[in-house]
Structures are given as C-alpha cells and as structure tokens.
Amino acid sequence: MISAVIVINNQGKPRLTKFYNYTAVEQQQQIIRSIYSVLCLQPENVSNFIEGGSFLGPDSRLVYKLFATLYFVFVFDSSENELAMFDLIQVYVETLEKCFSNVCELDIVLNYSKMHTILDEMILGGQVVETNSEKIMQAVEEISKLEKETGATKLLSKSASLLWG
Amino acid sequence: MALSGMRGLSVFISDVRNCRNKEQERLRVDKELGNIRTRFKNEKVGNIGGREFAESLAPDVQKLLISSSCRPLVRKKAALCLLRLFRKNPDILNIDGWSDRMSQLLDERDLGVLTSSMSLFVALVSNNHEAYWSCLPKCVKVMERLARNQDIPQEYTYYGIPSPWLQVKTMRALQYFPTVEDPSIRRALFEVLQRILMGTDVVKNVNKNNASHAVLFEALALVMHLDSEKEMMSQCVALLGKFIAVREPNIRYLGLENMTRMLMVTDVHEIIKRHQAQIITSLKDPDISIRRRSLDLLYGMCDVSNAKDIVEELLQYLATADFAMREELALKAAILAEKFAPDLSWYVDVILQLIDKAGDFVSDDIWFRVVQFVTNNEDLQPYAALKAREYLDKPAIHETMVKVSAYLLGEYSHLLARRPGCSPKEIFGIIHEKLPTVSTPTIPILLTTYAKILMHSQPPDPELQNQIWAVYSKYESCIDAEIQQRAVEYFALSRKGEALMDILAEMPKFPERQSSLIKKAEDTEADTAELSAIKLRTQQQTSNALVLTDQRPANGAPQVSQLGMVMVPSTSNADQNAVDQRVTQSNGTLSVVDPQPLAQDHAPAGDILGDLLSPLAIEGPPGVSPQSEFNGVPSHEGSVGANDALALAPVGDQESTVKPIGDIAERFQALCLKDSGVLYEDPYVQIGIKAEWRGHQGRMVLFLGNKNTAPLDSVQAVILPPSHLKLDISLVPEIIPPRAQVQCPLEVVNLRPSRDVAVLDFSYKFGTHLVNNKLRLPAVLNKFLQPIQVSAEEFFPQWRSLPGPPLKLQEVVRGVRPMPLGEMANLFNSLKLMVCPGLDPNPCNLVASTTFYSENTRAMLCLIRIETDPADRTQLRMTVASGDPTLTFELKEFIKENLVSIPTAGKPPAPVAQQPQPNNQPIASSDPGALLAGLL
C-alpha cells in the first residue's frame, strides 16, 4: 500500500502532500522534514530507493525521482514493487506534462487542486486505480468541466438573488 | 445560457411535475438519488465510514463493482472502495459466493477495472487464500494475456510493456498461494515466467528499463516462492549476478536485495557464493543504500567456508566505512566471527582487531563475549594474553582495548611469565602507563588487574608490591565510590598474604549461554539494516533508566517498611530481560571479589552489581546517588542540600573547571514550586525551563542557551526517566551557535504516583573541556496535582469511606521545620494542596484536598489532615487518604519531605545534620557525596 505521496522542491518546500493513513499535521511536517534532510544529501547517480525504517516507521520504503527542481516522493510498504512505484512517478509526471504542457514548479504551485485531482484519479486510498495517463486525463477533464458548470450555477444564483432580493 | 448548467435539474423537476401519481413520483426521485450515489458514493464511503457504515454499504458497492452496466470509472472506484471497507471490517466479504464473483471479476477485459480488482484480490488472498483457489487459474490467464501482449489496448502499454503494474500485482497475488498444483496451469505459468526471465534486456530508455525490470523482479520473487525446478532457480541467480554488476544503481540495489531474499527461501548458497567478489565490491559502492544491502547479503551468505574471507573484508572496510554504518559493521563482524570461527584463536584475533580499528563502535557486549570465551577455553588463555600484551605495545590504543587487555592480562599474564617482557613487573608497568589516559569507568578494571598481578607474583616482589600499594593509597580517597571501594578493599586484601590466593583466584567458567550479540541481532533480524547506532543507544538509555529505578528500593528499604509494596519496579518483558542480563553478568565475578566482607552488609545494590562486567553499574553510582538519596532518605534532607550540590557537580570534576553559578539544588527546589525559571547556569551555558501541566500530562520546554561568542560543541541531552514517567525529548542539536538559544520541547506523561525524579544528563564540550551535569528535572509529584475546594458535605463521607491502611495512612512526623500555621497553609497551597478552612473545628489543625492525575489512577481525590501540637511545633500528626494505596503513601512521603526539608536551601546544613539519624548513617556513608562530606 502507498502511504504517502509528497512533492518537495529542492529548497525543502512541500508542494504537494497526500497521506493515505491518518497522520497528524505535526507528524506530517516532521516526516516531510526528515525526508528532505535525507534527499538533499543524496549524491547523484545513486539508487532511487531509501529505506525509511528509521524515520517513517517499520516496513516503509521511499522511492524518489528528481525532476528539475522538484523531488517526487512515494512512500510505501513491502507489498508494493519498488520499480513499479518508480514508474508510477513517471506516469504522474507525464500526466502533469500532458495537462500543463511543459510543466514547471510554478504550474504546480498555481494549480494545486488540479495536482490533487490528477493524483486522486491515479491513486485511491493508497492503491493504484489507473495507470493509463489518457484515461486519467479524460477523468480530470470531465471533472474540470463539472467544476466549470457548477461555477456557472453559482454565478447565476448570485445574480438571481440580486434581482429578487 | 445560464440554464445550461442546470439542465439535469430542470429535466428532473419537469419529470417530477409530469408524474401522474405518487408512486411514479417516488420512482423518479429514487432514480435520481441512485444517479447521485453512483457518482459520489464510492470515493466518499471508504474514506469516512466506520465499521457499521462498512456493513451497511458494502452490498451496494459490491453490486456496483459487479454490474456490467456501470461505467468503468465507477467500477474501478467501487473495487478500491470495497478494499477500503474490507480493511475496516473483513466480514463484509466473507460471504458465500464472493469468491465466484471475484473469479468473474478477474475475467474483466478493461485493464483499469482489472488493476483495481487485482488490488482488492491481493488484499483478500493475503488475508485468506483458501477461499480463492478458484481464482488462481484466472490470475495465470491474466499473466498469459499480458505477457503475450494479447488484446492489450495501446494506451495500456507503458513504454511498450503491457501494463507493468497489473503484471506486478498479479504476480504478487500468486505469491500468496503456497503452490500451484494443477500441472497444466503450472506449466502455463512457468512458460510465462520463463518468457519474462529470458525476454528482458537492458535497453537505452531508462523508463522502459525500469518498467521491464519491475516485472522481472516480481517474476524472480515468484519463481523463488514457487521453488521450482533447480534449473530455473540457477537461472535466477545468474540473472541476479548480472544485475548486481550493472551500472544502473536501482537495478544493482534490487539485485542485492533479491539475492538476500533468495538466501532465506532456498538452498542456493553455493551458486550465490560464486558472486562473492562482486558483492564485496558493492560494499564500496558510492550509494549507502547499496552498501547496506551488500552488507546484509554478505552477512547472510557467510558460513564456515567463507567466514575468514568475509570477516577480513569487513574488517578492512571498517577503516573507511561511513560512521552511520560502523557500529552495525562491527557488530556483524563480531557475530560472524563468533558463529563461524574455524578456530578460536582466529576469533580472538578478529575481536582484538575490531577493537583496535573501531573501538568507538565496539559495544561492551562484544568484549564481554571475548572474555567469556577465553575464560571458558583453557587452550586459548595464553594466546589471548600474549595478543593483549602485543597490543599494549602500540603507542596509542583505544580505551576498550585497555579494558580488555588489562582484564586478560590480570587473569592470565602468569601463563606468559617465561616470555621476555612478560614478568609481572613489566606487565604492571605497561598497563599502569595507560592509567592516566583512561576514563573513570576503566580505572576499577585496572585496579582489579593490579590486585591479580600482585597475587600472581610469587615469590612476592616487594618493589612491585610497594608500587601497587602506592596506587591503591592514591585512590583511597577518590571521589568515585567504585574506585574508592576497590582501592580500599584491594589494599586491605593484599595485606592478607596467603589468603589473597583464595579470594582473588582465577575466574570460574561462565555458564554457557546464548550470545547476547546474537540475541541482539535476532531481535532486530526483521530489519537487519536498521541496527543502527541510534537504535542501540536508545536501548542503552532505557536500561540505564532501569538501573536507576531499580536501585531505589534497595537504598530506601531500611527507612520505610512499606516501600516494598509501593516501589514495584516496572516488570515489562523487556525490562525483565535487561535485569536478567545484568544479574547473570554479575554472577561470574561475584564469587571472585566479593565486596560483602569489607563493604559491610549495607552496601547498596549498585555496589554489588559493580563488578567488572557490569559497566552500567560501574557508571551508575555517580548518577544514581543524588537521586536515590533524594527519594530514599526524606528525613535526612537537611544535609541533602550540601550533598546534592556535591554529587551533582560534574562527574569528572578533576578535568573540568566549569563551576555552576548558583546552587543547583536550590534552583531545582524553586522550580518544583513554579513553572518557569533557570534550571542550571554556568559561565558558558544557561538552561531555562518552562512548563505547562494539564491533568496527567505536561509539556516542558528546555531552553539551552549558549552564553558565549564561540559555538558549543558536542551538546548532548539525555533524559533518564523514572519508570512512572513517559518522557519524550525531541532531538537536541549537537552544536549551539554563539549567543543562540535552542528550545527542546519535552512531553511528559505521568503513569502512576511516584516520587522518583527524572534526570537530565547534559553534557557539552567547550574548548577541550567536557562538561557533564546530571540535573534533576522538576517533573515532580505536585505538578500532577490540581487543587480542589471541597465542602464539608463532600469531605466527610469521602473521609469515612476510606477506612484505614493502605488507603488512609497516618504518621507522626518529627523534626518538622517549625513554622506558624499560616505559613504551613501557604506552603500547602504552593504545593497545590488546597487548604479548606473551617472543616476542622480545632484551630490548630489543617485540612487540605487536591486531585491527583496519572494514567493509572486517572483523576483521584486526595484528602489530607494535619494536626499540630501548639506546645511542640517540631512534630505533627499527618493523615493522608486517597482511593489508591500507592498514591496515599507517595503523597504522604512527599508532604513529609516538604515539611521536614528546607525548601529555601540557603541555610547551612549543619543544625539539621546534627539530628540523630542512627539508622541512616550507614547508608549515607556508602554514598560518594556523603562520604566526601564526611571527609571534609
């Protein structure tokens, strides 16, 4: 099971955090800090797996991938295949790429909720739902269409209330 | 335009309007609700539901999952929702016919739905595979479909590989079945596996490589699990052997990990051994994750045939290994040397080399073990002694080496007597050279060695005797109780002449027992890589704390008869083990140097344990004494002020000139009554404290301030908590920058009533000075009190309902510090014992009430009555009642301490010290602080 998905920039600022088990906010911050402190010391050309026993609890591993300024980190237990998780990061980033075309850190900061929507279409409750980035994009587009529609509804009700109130 | 967003709604409304009767209307509304549900429920249910929720909703979600009319998007989420519900309540899927449905689900063509269903299936079979045998062929079918790339939509191939995630999941699921029996299915599966094993090549594209190897590693795991024909197994090892040599670090890492896993499952030792050279190379990999893996693998594959090579390799690597790994390396090398030693002299060589190369990382267990071996094997003794002698010739040796060689030479140097440079005098000379360089815990070992050398020098050599006697008389007045006691005792013993032979005879053999090292390794076998220094250190910390609390009863017992009942040392399993270990360790030497005859029968437990092989006890007394005295000798309080100040002064007083500013004991007393203030101060450091208490919990913040313009180095703050407090300190930074203040929050939980005090072991380095202080933390009993006003109607029924001991205790207290009743009331109020005026008709009496909070007792009302004698203010009668016997006793003692003691400890201790304390005297004299006070 995947227990957390975290995106941190190379300054240690978390850009996206998603925990699939209940974790208190303080603990989340503690975890992010310790992950960053490990990541920023990783030299180049080493493996992308880190055993997390000492700071993430027993039987937890961490796989990370560095894209430009961002670390994408998945935390999971031994029931998952490391390389498969590694690939999943790639799928996530490829999907982001499709969504934002030439994705950069700023896109992620500005489209925070979209990041979550995409992630939710990929991983649900710590399990992989969909690995096909086309399908993920389809679902995401549907949702954003729905969002736009509800936005229109809101606009309407407001003007209506102005008219009648 | 605006209406377009609500088309669904307007259609719904018009539909409802058009209904002809109520029945139609309800049907339409139900349909709409159904629409809404399918869209949203799956995602939400799993996240918020509890057990009952799961029960009532599971059938609906199941229907959604199975229904072929639902959209794949909904069904996918239904599968994961069901998985989530199943985790909350496994019963929801333990129903008849579910396995058949599951089996149908695995026929699914849509790969998205199939992936989710497979996730659900993995969870189900991991729980109970028996019910799902019928699904096994389906899994193999899925694998066949994927491996042959049949009917795979383009968008589900990832870099040309058909959905690697689904392949991985399916093979995971198959690993939960013990075996595949049906021959045709088995054949089909192995054909697929063979295809994967053979067909995976290393390609240029990194992502493709990763995906294909993800599948490959899972296939390897499955082959290992199914323990197939040897042919395929060796093929796997060959593949792994290739992987551990590739450039891609991820693959190297996984290759090593899987090889280690392979060692555990099957008998492929010999094939793996062929790759030994490559694995040893990985030990020098730039990636620490890989180094750890290869260390694990080497450790796992070691046996008698290759132990020499591997251990030597580890020893060589030790010199350059990173600090994070050295301790683990040292431990592993020691264990392998012990387990697979082709001969024992090699074992001794290895351990001595280990100490020589990485003394800092060799835990005491390791050298204890080598001593045990040498003691139990007579053939080994001359060899070990000779080796120890050789190491002593080196110009600079580690302190652990001094310990072990002094011990070995003390016992066995007489076996070398004929060799050049090995006469008792020369041996003494070379060991004594090291004495000025060693720390306090090592000196007692050296003193014992001298006694043994003296005994072995027959005929007696008067010159040597004089030299050794000079050493003993030098240490006769040492501040360290252990050293002092040994010096005094050995001096007296060595004058006995012949009798010395009996008392200082050779160590008897140790009883054979499992190596504590191996036990330690087994305990952490689950995560072998995690046997880190941090972990070991925390283990040691807890055992330290245990010694502290464990000694308490022994010291306090003479004064307070009820103590036995109250001071139940914690008896959790781990603690028990630790005690056992200490005790067995001490057994061996007790028979040799029995401190009993000289140290008199009141020697505290710490001294009895203080034999050679019990380092904690050796280190124990300085840290323990202030505490045990504080708790155990309440009526001796007058001199405590002075003793505390002495005993709390830095342990290595000789080597540091840093003197605390202000009286530590006084600061502590003040902090017991208020929640913020300064705990400790010296010219370099100030430690402030701020606390908040709520019920049985508290939060303290330690403020560590560097007063100087230079940074403070090697700052360490370790808390030695008594058994009744749970204390968590966050990490203290090792360096405090100039003029900076560091905050360390500290959570405190009170488990049960006790007067024991937590100790903060604080040390830092300033320049070359190592300053170490043991400070009591003001997390004392009254911090967990909450004053409460009780009316007469509440008080008396409560008072009467607690009939007598052990819930209600009465005691006449003598030697009370005389004070007017008003001052006493103030004192009570400041201790959070609320004085309730008017409850007792007698104006000379005082009634107080309070609530005590701890995890065991919860909130518990305590009632106190003090009857004073206007004629004699130095005595009073005190009655304490509560619903818990321990609490009653502890609270009574606590109040007594405060009434008898002088909380503002500014006064000279002399007048109180004069109080007749006949039965306390012997105890006090065994305490280093008191001893010193006596000497002064």
Side-chain angles (χ1 to χ4, degrees), chain A residues 46-49 51 61 65 78-81 84 86-87 90-91 94 121 127 130-132 142 156, chain B residues 2 71 76-77 83 87 155-156 158-159 165 172 207 210-211 214 218 249-250 253 257 287 289 293:
Chain A
V46 298
S47 70
N48 299 70
F49 311 119
E51 272 135 69
R61 286 161 182 227
K65 201 163 185 182
S78 62
S79 69
E80 302 285 345
N81 180 306
F86 195 58
D87 289 338
Q90 182 68 24
V91 171
E94 278 177 18
E121 289 304 317
Q127 298 289 337
E130 185 58 74
T131 55
N132 173 352
E142 255 176 63
L156 174 84
Chain B
R71 297 171 60 198
K76 260 180 343 198
K77 295 201 169 168
L83 167 58
R87 290 229 169 100
E155 66 265 25
Y156 275 101
Y158 174 86
Y159 289 95
W165 295 275
R172 258 301 139 91
N207 292 320
N210 284 334
E218 208 57 54
N250 287 337
Y253 171 89
E257 190 187 8
D287 183 353
S289 296
R293 285 281 145 252

Side-chain angles (χ1 to χ4, degrees), chain B residues 144 292 719:
Chain B
E144 279 186 297
R292 279 188 194 285
I719 304 247

Side-chain angles (χ1 to χ4, degrees), chain A residues 10-93:
Chain A
N10 53 7
Q11 309 287 310
K13 238 188 179 29
R15 290 303 185 198
L16 171 116
T17 57
K18 178 95 190 176
F19 285 80
Y20 293 100
N21 292 321
Y22 173 72
T23 318
V25 178
E26 293 80 28
Q27 207 187 336
Q28 293 187 5
Q29 287 169 344
Q30 182 61 42
I31 288 175
I32 293 169
R33 264 199 299 275
S34 39
I35 289 180
Y36 176 69
S37 63
V38 174
L39 288 184
C40 64
L41 292 177
Q42 281 297 94
E44 265 179 50
N45 199 26
V46 298
S47 70
N48 299 70
F49 311 119
I50 296 170
E51 272 135 69
S54 54
F55 56 100
L56 297 168
D59 189 28
S60 54
R61 286 161 182 227
L62 178 163
V63 53
Y64 74 95
K65 201 163 185 182
L66 179 64
F67 290 93
T69 54
L70 290 175
Y71 288 103
F72 285 74
V73 181
F74 280 33
V75 182
F76 51 93
D77 61 17
S78 62
S79 69
E80 302 285 345
N81 180 306
E82 286 97 339
L83 279 174
M85 288 298 113
F86 195 58
D87 289 338
L88 206 58
I89 297 184
Q90 182 68 24
V91 171
Y92 186 40
V93 177

Side-chain angles (χ1 to χ4, degrees), chain B residues 504-519:
Chain B
L504 289 178
E506 198 170 292
M507 286 284 298
K509 287 193 175 168
F510 287 88
E512 277 302 328
R513 66 177 90 103
Q514 196 198 1
S515 162
S516 61
L517 295 182
I518 292 177
K519 214 193 276 169

